[in-house]
Amino acid sequence: MRLIHLLAAAGTLAATLGATAALAEPDYAAAIRADYKRDLGAMWDDFHRNPELSFRETRTAAKMAAALRAVPGMVVTEKVGQTGVVGVLKNGAGPVVLVRADMDGLPVEEKSGLPNASRVRQVGVDGVEVPVMHACGHDTHITAMIGTARQLAALRDRWAGTIVFVVQPAEERVGGAKAMIADGLFTRFPKPDYALAFHVAAGMQAGTVSASEGIQYSSSDSVNIDVPGIGAHGASPHEGKDPVYMASQTVIALQGLISRERPPLDPGVITVGSFHAGLKHNIISDMAKLQVTVRANNEVERKRLLDGIRRVANGIGVLNGMPKDKMPVVTVSEGTPTTINDAGLARRLNAVMVETLGATNVPAFVQDGMGAEDFAYYVQPDTRVRGYYFAVGGSTKAEIDAAARGGPKIGSHHSPEFRIAPEPAITTGAIAMTAAVLDLAKPGAGRVATAKAGTES
């Protein structure tokens, strides 16, 4: 089914349910807001001031482990998948629901203007010291998780089963989910029937949530292209092979994969984010290095783009007469598949969101970019885990209206200017997540491990 059909279906659902949606807030919403005033706001402030890079989140992980341990009945395990934390809250027989929040920051110098802007610098897994910022809102996700855990522990009479809280490292390197699964997330701990997560969205109005009944995020692959050359004097280019020239040809040729080989109605992106070569004006170096990100909305297109990059790189080497032992080398260093919501589960939980927040606060999902998420690894077909990933608004109406009038732009994700309104984002995320878990783990719901993807009773 095409994405536009999914959006139309989601819009019809919201309109249909809107007429009968309960306008009264759930009784636990006030408790979550009070928790924010009492503790969660300060927790977010601390996380925002002290971000940590992927697989370097030791301080964050320790604080999350301590906060989860303080929840009555929670059993906590640290250092799962390097720095990941797993909290298990059992409440009798019933389904297993995984609730995931990512915790890593980004190598970005914060220029948000916030009073609690990060001034942190840290050495990453690549050995390079960089400024660090929560430029994608992961501090919001983990804070909301604590609010959710506290409420579910207080509402034990309303659910039965097991909730597995996953504090995941390294989402920004799309490696944390794989690392936790490889370290036994689905074998050392209760295997989930459902997996839930949300992402705060700058530019989406605070107090709202939105989820697709199909694709929620694109695939992402980080591709390295090493272009060997033959060094020479800059005044005698004929005596060498210029890797800067060959790499430049490669940059241009890669766009042909998008503009001339990709079906025009099938989205795809190839962006060269880094180009490094040489050390001096008058020296032809012997190596140029490209770093490329690749996005697609299905596995067929994903494979076609990656295969095309290899073909283009090799072709540039042949075109320039490079010897076989000095042909360009293409490697994929990191990658994640598309994040696809289970259709039946999404219909069910979108209805829960309408009932909980009101139809006007659950707009139809629109994919307006090709961001990616390694949440996809928890819900791949072979896991038989049904997934529901939703967006939570992070910008106030005043900010959105001002930007629409030509005022200050809303800082995009991964930019130095990124900022969100923490209180409505965290409280809405926690209310929505609590509602979703309560619906899935209703007393007497039972296990659903044998259910087929795309269906929901």
Side-chain angles (χ1 to χ4, degrees), residues 195-240:
L196 310 177
F198 79 82
H199 204 298
V200 66
M204 179 174 159
Q205 187 169 321
T208 65
V209 304
S210 185
S212 171
E213 292 180 11
I215 185 168
Q216 187 83 11
Y217 284 104
S218 304
S219 66
S220 173
D221 291 283
S222 297
V223 179
N224 300 318
I225 307 177
D226 292 346
V227 184
I230 297 175
H233 195 292
S236 303
H238 60 288
E239 293 183 354

Side-chain angles (χ1 to χ4, degrees), residues 79-448:
K79 298 182 180 179
V80 181
Q82 297 189 40
T83 51
V85 178
V86 178
V88 178
L89 187 63
K90 293 185 177 182
N91 191 30
V96 179
V97 182
L98 182 151
V99 176
R100 175 271 211 167
D102 40 11
M103 61 173 165
D104 53 329
L106 282 157
V108 174
E109 182 180 357
E110 183 162 2
K111 299 177 183 178
S112 66
L114 293 173
N116 62 346
S118 168
R119 299 290 180 262
V120 169
R121 296 183 65 86
Q122 188 180 30
V123 177
V125 294
D126 55 3
V128 178
E129 183 181 284
V130 292
V132 191
M133 174 189 175
H134 269 302
C136 205
H138 295 187
D139 47 353
T140 305
H141 305 166
I142 53 178
T143 305
M145 171 181 275
I146 299 303
T148 301
R150 290 171 177 172
Q151 286 309 304
L152 290 170
L155 298 172
R156 285 176 176 272
D157 59 329
R158 302 189 194 181
W159 62 275
T162 300
I163 308 169
V164 180
F165 294 92
V166 174
V167 186
Q168 185 203 298
E171 185 278 332
E172 298 296 358
R173 297 186 69 94
V174 292
K178 287 177 69 175
M180 294 192 80
I181 291 170
D183 200 14
L185 180 62
F186 287 171
T187 54
R188 294 167 55 192
F189 307 95
K191 172 74 180 296
D193 300 303
Y194 305 102
L196 310 177
F198 79 82
H199 204 298
V200 66
M204 179 174 159
Q205 187 169 321
T208 65
V209 304
S210 185
S212 171
E213 292 180 11
I215 185 168
Q216 187 83 11
Y217 284 104
S218 304
S219 66
S220 173
D221 291 283
S222 297
V223 179
N224 300 318
I225 307 177
D226 292 346
V227 184
I230 297 175
H233 195 292
S236 303
H238 60 288
E239 293 183 354
K241 293 286 186 180
D242 188 350
V244 173
Y245 174 64
M246 289 186 283
S248 299
Q249 289 179 302
T250 303
V251 171
I252 300 301
L254 289 178
Q255 296 312 312
L257 296 173
I258 299 297
S259 66
R260 287 297 175 265
E261 296 189 22
R262 177 185 55 83
L265 298 181
D266 198 353
V269 168
I270 296 177
T271 295
V272 179
S274 175
F275 188 142
H276 288 279
L279 297 172
K280 189 70 172 65
H281 304 72
N282 60 350
I283 299 173
I284 293 175
S285 70
D286 60 1
M287 179 65 70
K289 292 180 178 287
L290 303 177
Q291 292 182 324
V292 185
T293 189
V294 183
R295 309 298 171 109
N297 271 3
N298 60 71
E299 291 303 304
V300 173
E301 181 67 8
R302 180 188 184 195
K303 182 179 186 302
R304 192 191 67 75
L305 290 176
L306 292 174
D307 289 346
I309 290 172
R310 296 183 181 97
R311 171 168 53 85
V312 165
N314 186 76
I316 295 297
V318 172
L319 175 67
N320 286 277
M322 292 299 291
K324 289 184 178 180
D325 64 342
K326 289 187 177 294
M327 295 294 285
V329 177
V330 177
T331 57
V332 179
S333 60
E334 302 163 344
T336 184
T338 51
T339 296
I340 309 291
N341 280 344
D342 180 273
L345 180 61
R347 284 191 293 272
R348 172 178 171 178
L349 293 183
N350 280 346
V352 170
M353 296 301 147
V354 169
E355 182 180 3
T356 303
L357 301 172
T360 57
N361 291 320
V362 189
F365 177 79
V366 177
Q367 187 188 22
D368 58 3
M370 298 195 76
E373 249 290 347
D374 69 351
F375 178 80
Y377 284 107
Y378 301 119
V379 297
Q380 286 300 286
D382 61 348
T383 69
R384 300 185 68 81
V385 178
R386 298 184 194 177
Y388 179 72
Y389 197 109
F390 59 100
V392 173
S395 298
T396 65
K397 185 177 186 301
E399 290 172 327
I400 294 170
D401 290 346
R405 293 192 300 266
K409 288 185 176 182
I410 294 174
S412 67
H413 291 251
H414 291 212
S415 78
E417 293 81 20
F418 175 82
R419 58 189 293 171
I420 53 94
E423 183 170 1
I426 290 167
T427 55
T428 301
I431 291 167
M433 187 64 78
T434 300
V437 174
L438 289 177
D439 184 79
L440 295 177
K442 291 176 182 176
R447 300 298 302 274
V448 293

Side-chain angles (χ1 to χ4, degrees), residues 9-60:
T12 301
L13 170 70
T16 301
L17 293 174
T20 57
L23 297 180
E25 280 193 331
D27 57 359
Y28 50 81
I32 289 173
R33 292 195 174 95
D35 194 9
Y36 184 90
K37 299 291 187 184
R38 180 179 58 253
D39 182 55
L40 295 178
M43 182 180 294
W44 172 81
D45 178 83
D46 180 68
F47 285 142
H48 192 82
R49 292 176 187 271
N50 297 283
E52 294 177 296
L53 295 170
S54 302
F55 290 128
R56 293 291 183 264
E57 314 95 335
T58 54
R59 180 185 186 275
T60 306

